Amino acid sequence: MTPSPLAGLWRAGIWLLCAALPSTVHALDCGTPTLGLGAGREHSHWVERDAQGATVLTERGWLDRIALAAGGPCGAATWEAQWARSQGTRHYDGQTQTGTPVQTSSHLRVDALTLSGWMPVDTFAQTDRQDTDPAWAWGARVGWRQTDRRIASTPTALGYPERFRAWQLALGARWRVHEASGWRLSATGWAGGSPRGTAQVSLPRADPLTLPLGHNRLLALGLQLGSGARNERAGAWSWQLRLESQLETTAAGAARVITRNGVPVAVAWMPEIRQRQTVWSAELNRRF
C-alpha cells in the first residue's frame, strides 16, 4: 500500500513540532511547573453504522479514569501535557457477520496523550493587577490515543480483540466565565480531527489484520472549576473539578482482504464509528 501525501505531511508536521519544542520552551522562559493527579468517571457511548447509515452496533457503559498532568507558564502562554487512562466494560448490542442479533460485553482500555497550549487574547482592556489574565485565550493541542477493545464470546459467536490508534489535532478557545478571590470558573471548546487511524483486528480463525480508519472529526466542550487565580501569592496546592464532553465521527475505512494461513477468504472494513464521551473528574495539583 502506497502512503498518501497527506499522511506524509502529517508525520512531517509531528516531527517538526517535536524537534522545535525544546528550543521554543527555552526561548519562552518557562516558569515553575505544576504537577497534577486526577481521577474520575467516564460515560462511553459507541455506535457503528453501515454504508446506508443504519445502526449495526451500539455499546455504552461506565469507565474508571485516572490522569497525570504537568503544566506551567511560558511567557504569556501556558502549556499542559496529560496522560489519561480509562478502563471498564461496555454493554454490546449488535449482530454477527450473518446478521444474527447478539448481546454481550466489551472490555475497554483507553490510553490518551495530549499536549496543549494556550495564548491569551487581548480582546478586553486589562487592569494593572498582576494577577488578572485576559478573559479569552485561544489554544492548540496534539493528541494520540490507543483503544484496546476485547469483545466477549457468546454461545453462538466468538469474541476477538481490537486495537485502535490515531493522532488528532485541534484548535480551541477558552473563556473565563467568573473569577473570585478563591476560585475560577472557565469554559473551553475544541474542534479538530485527524486524517486517518488504524485498527488491528484478530478475527476468529483468521490471520491478524490491520484495517485503515477513515478521517476523524471531533467537537469537545468543557467546564473547569478551580481554586485560586494564577499569581505569586497563590499556595503551592490547588484543585480543579472538570466536566468534559466530546463527540467524534470516524468515517468508514477502505476494505482489506482477510486471509487464513495466507489464503484469501473474505473482505473486511471498519464501518463508520460515532463516539460520545462524558467525563466527570477531580484533580489535585502542586506547583514546584
Side-chain angles (χ1 to χ4, degrees):
M1 181 178 63
T2 302
S4 68
L6 184 58
L9 290 174
W10 184 266
R11 288 191 294 268
I14 297 300
W15 184 87
L16 288 174
L17 175 65
C18 295
L21 186 60
S23 59
T24 302
V25 169
H26 179 73
L28 287 175
D29 188 25
C30 295
T32 304
T34 298
L35 300 181
L37 173 63
R41 293 275 283 170
E42 174 181 337
H43 187 261
S44 178
H45 186 210
W46 175 294
V47 174
E48 295 182 9
R49 299 191 174 190
D50 61 20
Q52 289 72 42
T55 299
V56 296
L57 167 64
T58 300
E59 291 187 22
R60 55 172 57 91
W62 287 93
L63 312 178
D64 295 319
R65 178 184 172 94
I66 59 172
L68 297 175
C74 281
T78 58
W79 64 273
E80 181 180 7
Q82 184 188 74
W83 166 80
R85 169 171 288 183
S86 301
Q87 190 165 344
T89 301
R90 293 192 305 224
H91 175 72
Y92 179 108
D93 187 359
Q95 54 185 294
T96 66
Q97 295 180 348
T98 60
T100 303
V102 60
Q103 291 187 338
T104 182
S105 62
S106 64
H107 182 74
L108 273 294
R109 189 179 71 184
V110 183
D111 290 291
L113 295 171
T114 58
L115 175 62
S116 58
W118 293 100
M119 180 66 70
V121 179
D122 295 327
T123 305
F124 306 103
Q126 302 301 310
T127 70
D128 293 332
R129 291 174 54 194
Q130 297 299 314
D131 60 352
T132 300
D133 299 321
W136 286 90
W138 67 268
R141 76 179 185 187
V142 58
W144 176 86
R145 185 175 62 195
Q146 175 176 293
T147 301
D148 290 308
R149 173 190 184 208
R150 176 176 287 275
I151 301 172
S153 298
T154 71
T156 59
L158 294 176
Y160 56 90
E162 297 174 318
R163 172 169 287 180
F164 298 83
R165 287 174 173 165
W167 290 91
Q168 286 182 327
L169 291 176
L171 296 177
R174 183 179 64 197
W175 175 42
R176 190 181 67 242
V177 179
H178 185 75
E179 183 174 317
S181 58
W183 56 273
R184 167 184 293 180
L185 177 64
S186 301
T188 57
W190 296 96
S194 63
R196 191 178 64 182
T198 61
Q200 296 177 330
V201 184
S202 297
L203 295 171
R205 295 185 291 273
D207 300 330
L209 177 66
T210 298
L211 297 173
L213 303 175
H215 63 270
N216 171 276
R217 300 189 305 272
L218 73 91
L219 176 65
L221 299 172
L223 287 174
Q224 300 84 35
L225 176 64
S227 63
R230 291 188 313 163
N231 60 73
E232 296 299 326
R233 297 190 301 273
W237 291 93
S238 62
W239 55 265
Q240 191 171 71
L241 302 177
R242 300 190 184 193
L243 171 60
E244 300 167 306
S245 182
Q246 180 166 299
L247 302 175
E248 289 186 61
T249 300
T250 303
R256 293 292 183 267
V257 176
I258 300 176
T259 62
R260 183 182 302 150
N261 298 324
V263 179
V265 293
V267 174
W269 62 90
M270 290 303 303
E272 177 187 295
I273 301 170
R274 297 191 178 187
Q275 300 182 67
R276 182 172 67 249
Q277 299 100 25
T278 302
V279 179
W280 292 265
S281 64
E283 187 175 290
L284 182 63
N285 304 292
R286 189 182 192 282
R287 190 176 68 250
F288 290 89

